[in-house]
Amino acid sequence: MYSIILLSVLGLGNLFLGFRRSNRLLLPAAMLMLAVVFGVNFLDWGTTESFFNDMLVVDNFSVAFTGIVVLTALLLLPFSQKYVHDGEANLAEYYSLLLFSLVGAIMMVSYNHLLMLFLGIETLSIAMYVLAGSDKRNLRSNEAALKYFLMGAFATGILLFGMALVYGATGTFVLRDISFAVQNPVNASLTPMLYIGMLLMLIGIGFKVSAAPFHFWTPDVYEGTPTFFAAFMSTVVKTAGFAAFLKLLVQAFPAATAQGLWLPTLTAMCVLTLLIGNVGAVAQTSIKRMLAYSSVSHAGYLLIGLVAFNGQLEGASANGVFFYSLAYSVATVAAFGVLKLVADVRMREDYNGLNGLAKTNPLLAFVLTVAMLSLAGIPLTGGFFGKFFVFSAAVENGYIGLVVFAVVMSMVSIYYYLRPIIAMYMNDPDATTAEPVPVSAFQSAALLLLALLTVVLGVLPGLVSGIL
């Protein structure tokens, strides 16, 4: 709860910093705010408290996932330094929107009431609709914002309709009360209403986490959204969405799993997401669109953790989702960070824009290599153990066929994750890529930290793997 209060107050305070003639104080102030929130968040570790008449519950699960989203935002901020140097007039508003969106993300990982889930999703989503169109002079950014807003509005309507049907069938919005009503139905004639409500909720949240077949907005929106905010969208939004998804299935609909209600639908979504995400990424020529389809594919791997859940928020599946979210977020921030630095100078986002980067900027090439290897699940990186924990939970619960399919898709992903590495190390720079990309000491330190975290998660996964 401290995190929500601090982010709300600091977000408002950050707006007043925008009245200064210089915006050079905004970046260090925003990073200091997030560092404070990250530390204060863990004051709630080991306790379970409820707020707003049990609508929001703070426990180890919510503290752990809050830590991921706040840390991700903190690691991402150094790559907004160009906005400071360019004198971006709306920088204070951008940072405040990011802080407010984190409030929505924390509500999504801490909710105990469906209305609190809805408030969290909308708080996060509305900020992202604005930030997607923040480059107002760029038609692609305007298109991305409009497409994201319209598709998001439809998904929100579907989610709300699902919540209404679940309420009509159970008479409650509280997760554990819904679970009790599912196990002990008062009126059997309302059961079809419950099934349809559950399905609509799966569709609504599936859109938010870019799960197929509700992923169609992802490549276009990521491509048009400014790279800095696309990175935030790809990490924070996905982490909060999957934490909320896991909590919904574990606490509200666990009995429905045994009856085979939502499990077949979720399994089909998982297979389709893995297939479309990986095959779609192979065909891309833009790194940004490749990372968008990569985001879709990683939603499929995270869905395996949801399919294999063991009925509680503590256990192999929950730990697998937590570790995977952390490893994926760190590697994705590193990848988008390097892409932004390169694209800002070379004005291109295709693979050829990386030609010869190992010669002109060895640090950028090294960090992007580590990020790509982690996303591919290569050993000695965090991504390897992220997949290992998720696959292990699935195998323990008998989903061997699903794991075999996921391993095959992981082999496919190696192709498109190696393409940037080949371009950086094996292709010679041309006239547009011969000049080094300027990187500040601050950004270099952030990149090294991201690479170090990725390697540490791959070498010493036990540091965080059993946190839940």
Side-chain angles (χ1 to χ4, degrees), residues 98-113:
L98 290 179
L99 294 175
F100 293 144
S101 68
L102 287 176
V103 173
I106 296 172
M107 292 167 68
M108 289 173 64
V109 304
S110 308
Y111 76 98
N112 190 46
H113 192 282

Side-chain angles (χ1 to χ4, degrees), residues 274-318:
L274 287 170
L275 180 64
I276 292 177
N278 285 288
V279 174
V282 169
Q284 304 306 311
T285 57
S286 164
I287 300 176
K288 206 170 180 183
R289 287 184 70 90
M290 181 274 283
L291 289 174
Y293 276 101
S294 166
S295 175
V296 174
S297 72
H298 286 285
Y301 297 117
L302 284 164
L303 282 173
I304 296 176
L306 269 60
V307 170
F309 88 103
N310 57 356
Q312 55 185 0
L313 289 180
E314 299 84 16
S317 58

Side-chain angles (χ1 to χ4, degrees), residues 151-304:
M151 296 297 180
F154 280 118
T156 298
I158 293 171
L159 178 64
L160 275 176
F161 192 24
M163 289 181 180
L165 292 178
V166 169
Y167 178 79
T170 62
T172 180
F173 284 122
V174 180
L175 298 186
R176 288 185 175 83
D177 292 345
I178 293 174
S179 177
F180 179 81
V182 172
Q183 297 178 65
N184 306 280
V186 177
N187 189 343
S189 64
L190 296 178
T191 303
M193 182 188 296
L194 174 65
Y195 295 172
I196 296 173
M198 291 167 53
L199 178 61
L200 293 178
M201 290 189 67
L202 290 182
I203 292 172
I205 300 181
F207 173 90
K208 300 298 181 183
V209 298
S210 305
F214 317 108
H215 70 289
F216 37 79
W217 59 274
T218 309
D220 293 339
V221 172
Y222 277 39
E223 185 178 30
T225 301
T227 304
F228 175 74
F229 301 122
F232 188 90
M233 188 185 301
S234 181
T235 52
V236 172
V237 175
K238 191 173 295 292
T239 298
F242 269 100
F245 211 162
L246 179 63
K247 199 166 190 177
L248 177 71
L249 298 181
V250 170
Q251 294 192 342
F253 302 129
T257 309
Q259 301 170 32
L261 300 182
W262 58 258
L263 192 56
T265 302
L266 200 66
T267 304
M269 287 173 57
C270 177
V271 171
L272 197 59
T273 303
L274 287 170
L275 180 64
I276 292 177
N278 285 288
V279 174
V282 169
Q284 304 306 311
T285 57
S286 164
I287 300 176
K288 206 170 180 183
R289 287 184 70 90
M290 181 274 283
L291 289 174
Y293 276 101
S294 166
S295 175
V296 174
S297 72
H298 286 285
Y301 297 117
L302 284 164
L303 282 173
I304 296 176

